[in-house]
Amino acid sequence: MQCWQINEYGEPRDALKLADKAVPVPGEGELLLEVKVAALGLPDVLMCRNNYLFSPQLPFTPGQEVVGTVLATGENCTTSVGSRVMAVTAFYNGHGGLAEQAIAIDASAFAVPATMQDAEAAGFTIPYHTAYVGLVTRAKLNPDETVLVHGAAGGSGIAAVQLAHALGARVIACASSDEKLQLCKQSGADLLINHRKQTVRDAVMEYTNDIGVDIVYDPVGGETFTDSLHYVASEGRVLAVGLASGEWGQASTGLAVIKNCSVMGVYVGAYGPDHMSAAHAHLMALYGEGKIAPAVDQCIPFSDVARGLQRLADRQVRGKLVVQIA
Ligand SMILES: NC(=O)c1ccc[n+]([C@@H]2O[C@H](COP(=O)([O-])OP(=O)(O)OC[C@H]3O[C@@H](n4cnc5c(N)ncnc54)[C@H](OP(=O)(O)O)[C@@H]3O)[C@@H](O)[C@H]2O)c1
């Protein structure tokens, strides 16, 4: 079967090569999928650069999430052959979704409603489940709170904007261009901050009458995260989600003490099937009511994967970039 493979680390445009490899065999709790559409995410870029916590050994096929049809199942799976599912792949074993066939984790596979397009379903699971874990499970968001989202037009960020808005919060979106912020506005953001034109701290304090925000959702890390402790409110929560900037931020314990605020890690992969199923049911109900809807930047052909992932690395994507495979 055809796949994209990383044989040597580098930028996506150089590291990704088209290859032929044997169809992988699903192990216990795993599914073999015929991939219809795969979604790209920054972790795929970080895997190309060998800067990802769960990078597989070389050579490997990246691609963390897909929509596809189940061709075969390993032992102890609950999903049936023939089902159309959205799922997280076993990318960490080298069998990611940028391939004609991929291995998916049975516990992360959910039936796709007939009304949902493949392009929407492909990039649903990781961004919305992460937003759910961060905002609902960890931060216990109250409807009257204010949530600031960094990297708000990115794959993770836009899901958090939509979910926070759907749950009744006031949403502040931070992004690097007015075009990106336009998508955030369409997704329910109340205040838009272009961090290349405005100082985030000043804009937040002005909007909140010097109180600060209740929750910061941060997939960016670095200075962005570190600065967030200056404008989180008393008893607020700063959620460390990712390191799109290339590095984790540093939290000042002194500021956390003075503000009675919390710094929380958010890792969607740590939650088991029961939590995932309950979160998924809640998320699909919101999707059914039209309150959340995956923002697809573009659906690109399989042959364009290296160029597409480089666009993502270069911060030129709004929402999710997805790949038509079958
Ligand atoms: N904790 C979890 O369970 C979990 C789950 C999913 C993802 N993540 C992590 O979240 C992070 C974001 O992933 P994603 O797929 O949402 O990424 P994405 O779609 O590329 O969005 C990331 C956003 O970060 C901003 N950014 C700031 N500095 C950047 C840089 N140097 N390079 C690229 N983007 C930069 C960009 O926004 P502007 O251009 O507007 O500034 C970009 O839109 C990754 O580190 C990923 O591993 C964590």
Side-chain angles (χ1 to χ4, degrees):
M1 64 158 188
Q2 270 224 310
C3 65
W4 284 92
Q5 193 159 284
I6 297 170
N7 304 311
E8 283 178 54
Y9 299 116
E11 281 302 292
R13 70 167 82 80
D14 305 317
L16 280 162
K17 304 287 179 206
L18 267 176
D20 263 311
K21 73 175 184 188
V23 173
V25 178
E28 185 172 358
E30 293 181 343
L31 311 169
L32 176 67
L33 297 189
E34 180 188 39
V35 182
K36 300 287 185 200
V37 176
L40 300 177
L42 203 68
D44 298 313
V45 175
L46 301 177
M47 280 186 238
C48 288
R49 295 174 178 159
N50 196 22
N51 187 23
Y52 190 60
L53 210 53
F54 309 108
S55 277
Q57 288 192 330
L58 292 172
F60 66 90
T61 296
Q64 293 191 310
E65 49 184 346
V66 295
V67 61
T69 307
V70 180
L71 296 176
T73 65
E75 304 261 297
N76 296 325
C77 289
T78 55
T79 313
S80 312
V81 170
S83 316
R84 176 178 172 244
V85 294
M86 56 177 105
V88 178
T89 67
F91 68 91
Y92 43 79
N93 287 334
H95 303 305
L98 295 173
E100 290 174 314
Q101 295 174 12
I103 298 292
I105 306 157
D106 179 56
S108 78
F110 296 99
V112 182
T115 53
M116 197 178 206
Q117 305 289 317
D118 286 341
E120 283 189 303
F124 186 90
T125 310
I126 294 180
Y128 287 101
H129 278 252
T130 306
Y132 192 92
V133 167
L135 297 174
V136 179
T137 312
R138 301 286 286 130
K140 306 204 185 321
L141 168 68
N142 291 311
D144 59 345
E145 291 190 306
T146 303
V147 178
L148 181 144
V149 182
H150 290 301
S156 303
I158 203 70
V161 168
Q162 290 183 7
L163 184 60
H165 175 68
L167 297 175
R170 285 177 303 280
V171 182
I172 302 176
C174 292
S176 59
S177 74
D178 294 344
E179 292 72 30
K180 285 186 173 186
L181 288 167
Q182 205 45 42
L183 175 67
C184 301
K185 189 173 180 190
Q186 289 158 10
S187 295
D190 301 285
L191 179 72
L192 309 174
I193 301 177
N194 182 330
H195 63 72
R196 290 203 166 129
K197 294 183 182 167
Q198 292 166 275
T199 306
V200 178
R201 203 190 296 188
D202 294 347
V204 168
M205 293 319 253
E206 188 183 333
Y207 179 72
T208 60
N209 294 321
D210 284 332
I211 290 171
V213 292
D214 300 296
I215 296 172
V216 177
Y217 188 92
D218 179 32
V220 174
E223 279 301 310
T224 299
F225 174 86
T226 303
D227 194 43
S228 299
L229 266 88
H230 290 279
Y231 50 78
V232 69
S234 173
E235 299 192 331
R237 289 83 87 203
V238 181
L239 302 174
V241 178
L243 71 164
S245 65
E247 57 182 15
W248 292 108
Q250 301 297 317
S252 155
T253 313
L255 270 176
V257 168
I258 289 165
K259 294 189 161 210
N260 281 307
C261 73
S262 307
V263 172
M264 294 178 166
V266 174
Y267 174 44
V268 70
Y271 287 88
D274 290 350
H275 181 281
M276 263 198 107
S277 297
H280 198 75
H282 192 173
L283 288 166
M284 290 315 290
L286 292 172
Y287 174 79
E289 292 162 23
K291 291 185 172 166
I292 60 173
V296 177
D297 174 286
Q298 205 187 339
C299 186
I300 60 173
F302 191 54
S303 55
D304 272 2
V305 163
R307 269 191 296 271
L309 199 59
Q310 191 62 49
R311 265 186 66 210
L312 188 74
D314 295 340
R315 298 164 79 164
Q316 291 167 8
V317 171
R318 298 190 314 163
K320 270 284 179 193
L321 193 59
V322 301
V323 183
Q324 189 76 48
I325 297 184

